[in-house]
Amino acid sequence: MSAHDKTAGRRLPDPSNLARDFGASVVVFLVALPLCVGVAVASGVPAELGLVTGIVGGIVAGAMRGSSLQVSGPAAGLTVLVFEAVQEFGVAALGVLVLSAGLLQMLMAALRLGRFFRAISLAVVEGMLAGIGLVLIAGQLYTMAGVAAPAGGLDKILQLPGTLAGALGSAAASPASLAVGAGTIAVLVLWKRLPKAVQTVPGPLAAVGLATAAVYLLGLPVAKVEVQGLLDAVNPPGAGDFAQLAGVGAVGTVLAFALIASAESLFCAAAVDRLHDGPRTEYDKELMAQGAGNTVCGLLGALPMTAVIVRSAANVQAGARTKASRVLHGVWLLLFAALLPAALGVIPVAALAGVLVHAGCKLIPVREIGALWREHRGEAVVLVATAAAIVAVGMFEGVLVGLALAVAKTAWETSHIRVEVVDKGAGPIQAHLTGNATFLRLPKILDTLESLPHDRPVELHLGGLRHLDHACRTALENWAERHASEVTEPVGVPSAV
């Protein structure tokens, strides 16, 4: 058999694709590095664990089938939930929670439930991200001020003005820390206005690098990232940690991790598919990849991972063609964590907080809310209510409130009913019902029927109904019997629909 025959039917790697993927992987690595560290610090865990999750997201999830170009790692969208879980259950239990969430994701993928996540109301997802963004921004502003943040999301927002005012008038490290954080945000905002040649350096990396240099050169008294070393930070769950799963709170946290991470990843996949013309995402396989990645993260005691739109967009824009770019970005993170861990110890915490404040602002769909209010006010109400519930009560409860409102809104909108009364003066009054007769519209139906004259016969015409539920059928039959007893001529009894 000739060499040509042996390679027939097989696609050899395209050298041009490999070059593009290599370049894109470096760009994604530079974007991911400060975000991995920042998300970890904001979540209340060692900075190295954010790198571990980024490594797993690149090498494990990145090597699997699903979405070829989206990149996974620790996400700002889960920061608030992870922080709350760490505060309630401890860092040691984080691995168990993430491991359980990963196994649940894999089970959902095996049951082919990935495509059903596209049925989740977009208003709920955007409301969830907006609520997370608000809590994340408020919490990181306390970090920028160098003070501890209140526990509750609502308290974070309500006490923020007084805290910032006090920090500005303090003689301690708070003013310097605030200046570093504010400068980081300013660089991120202005970076996209600079020449394209300058923008080849990712904004987050440039902002953190400039902040670190400023702190070093000016000798500013601000807190730095605490470094433990990669192996010291990894904390696999022990047998005793699995006892945490017996509590209702832990089970709720696992469900929140799995559902929110899955929804965010698959919505990210849909967004990334719109950015390129390559192979489309296979949702169940992508969900399996996310579950496998979170399972490994759990075994290592690291943060949960999701697909991240910032890194994914950077990957596409940098010219990536295959999944090799995201795998290589995980390799670069691994090499950095193994060879240069001490470099993390010079990064100001306030600079990372500034990066996350900027990321949190992107989670709040300010323009979309205005457009929704003009075109779909019900969706806008669901979005705002979901965000408000997350801030006031908590992540899991807020998402449940949003889902309940979305279902209620849909049920109300799909139960449109029209009651048309025809009275020709002689003979029976005719009442024509069209649409969907559900219990939600029963008050309107009965109010109309009960307003008709009691001493004249009425014919109910139900042929225009698309749906008649049990509550409406029973109520209409009861009304017909009562009305028939008041007139000498019979009343038309509802017919089957």
Side-chain angles (χ1 to χ4, degrees), residues 136-485:
L136 179 62
I137 291 168
Q140 293 309 300
L141 287 175
Y142 284 93
T143 302
M144 285 171 51
V147 297
L154 191 59
D155 291 335
K156 284 184 176 72
I157 293 176
L158 294 179
Q159 298 179 27
L160 186 59
T163 300
L164 293 179
L168 290 173
S170 171
S174 296
S177 183
L178 271 177
V180 170
T184 303
I185 296 172
V187 171
L188 288 168
V189 172
L190 298 174
W191 197 251
K192 290 194 182 234
R193 301 183 181 180
L194 297 178
K196 291 293 183 183
V198 176
Q199 292 184 41
T200 54
V201 179
L205 182 68
V208 172
L210 291 173
T212 302
V215 169
Y216 175 77
L217 294 174
L218 299 176
L220 300 178
V222 298
K224 310 287 198 314
V225 174
E226 296 181 6
V227 180
Q228 294 187 10
L230 189 62
L231 294 180
D232 293 332
V234 171
N235 184 26
D241 295 325
F242 285 88
Q244 296 271 18
L245 295 175
V248 176
V251 173
T253 301
V254 169
L255 290 174
F257 277 167
L259 296 177
I260 293 173
S262 299
E264 188 169 346
S265 295
L266 297 181
F267 272 101
C268 176
V272 173
D273 281 348
R274 292 194 291 268
L275 299 178
H276 66 90
D277 55 2
R280 303 295 92 179
T281 297
E282 300 176 79
Y283 284 88
D284 292 317
K285 291 178 181 178
E286 179 61 22
L287 183 56
M288 181 66 74
Q290 295 294 323
N294 273 321
T295 299
V296 175
C297 287
L299 292 173
L300 297 174
L303 296 169
M305 55 166 268
T306 73
V308 186
I309 189 61
V310 174
R311 293 170 219 178
S312 302
N315 189 39
V316 175
Q317 292 163 4
R321 289 293 182 268
T322 72
K323 62 184 178 182
S325 62
R326 57 188 192 177
V327 175
L328 283 173
H329 118 275
V331 173
W332 308 144
L333 286 173
L334 176 60
L335 291 176
F336 177 88
L339 302 178
L340 298 171
L344 299 177
V346 302
I347 299 176
V349 174
L352 297 176
V355 170
L356 290 178
V357 168
H358 184 260
C361 290
K362 292 184 177 181
L363 295 176
I364 304 174
V366 177
R367 295 180 180 177
E368 287 80 355
I369 293 175
L372 275 179
W373 182 254
R374 290 189 296 271
E375 300 174 11
H376 306 284
R377 292 195 174 184
E379 293 289 300
V381 170
V382 172
L383 191 157
V384 173
T386 302
I390 288 174
V391 171
V393 184
M395 170 73 69
F396 190 59
E397 296 86 349
V399 172
L400 291 179
V401 168
L403 289 174
L405 286 175
V407 171
K409 181 189 76 69
T410 302
W412 181 259
E413 290 180 347
T414 56
S415 63
H416 285 301
I417 186 76
R418 181 183 177 190
V419 183
E420 182 180 2
V421 177
V422 178
D423 185 1
K424 297 181 179 179
I429 299 174
Q430 297 181 8
H432 298 265
L433 276 63
T434 56
N436 297 304
T438 70
F439 68 94
L440 294 173
R441 301 293 183 169
L442 193 52
K444 173 183 177 180
I445 297 171
L446 292 180
D447 285 346
T448 302
L449 295 178
E450 289 172 354
S451 66
L452 299 176
H454 291 194
D455 57 349
R456 293 181 57 190
V458 176
E459 291 180 356
L460 292 178
H461 295 267
L462 308 182
L465 289 178
R466 294 188 296 271
H467 175 72
L468 176 64
D469 69 9
H470 177 70
C472 273
R473 178 180 291 278
T474 302
L476 290 174
E477 289 175 346
N478 291 338
W479 174 85
E481 291 177 2
R482 291 196 309 271
H483 193 83
S485 66

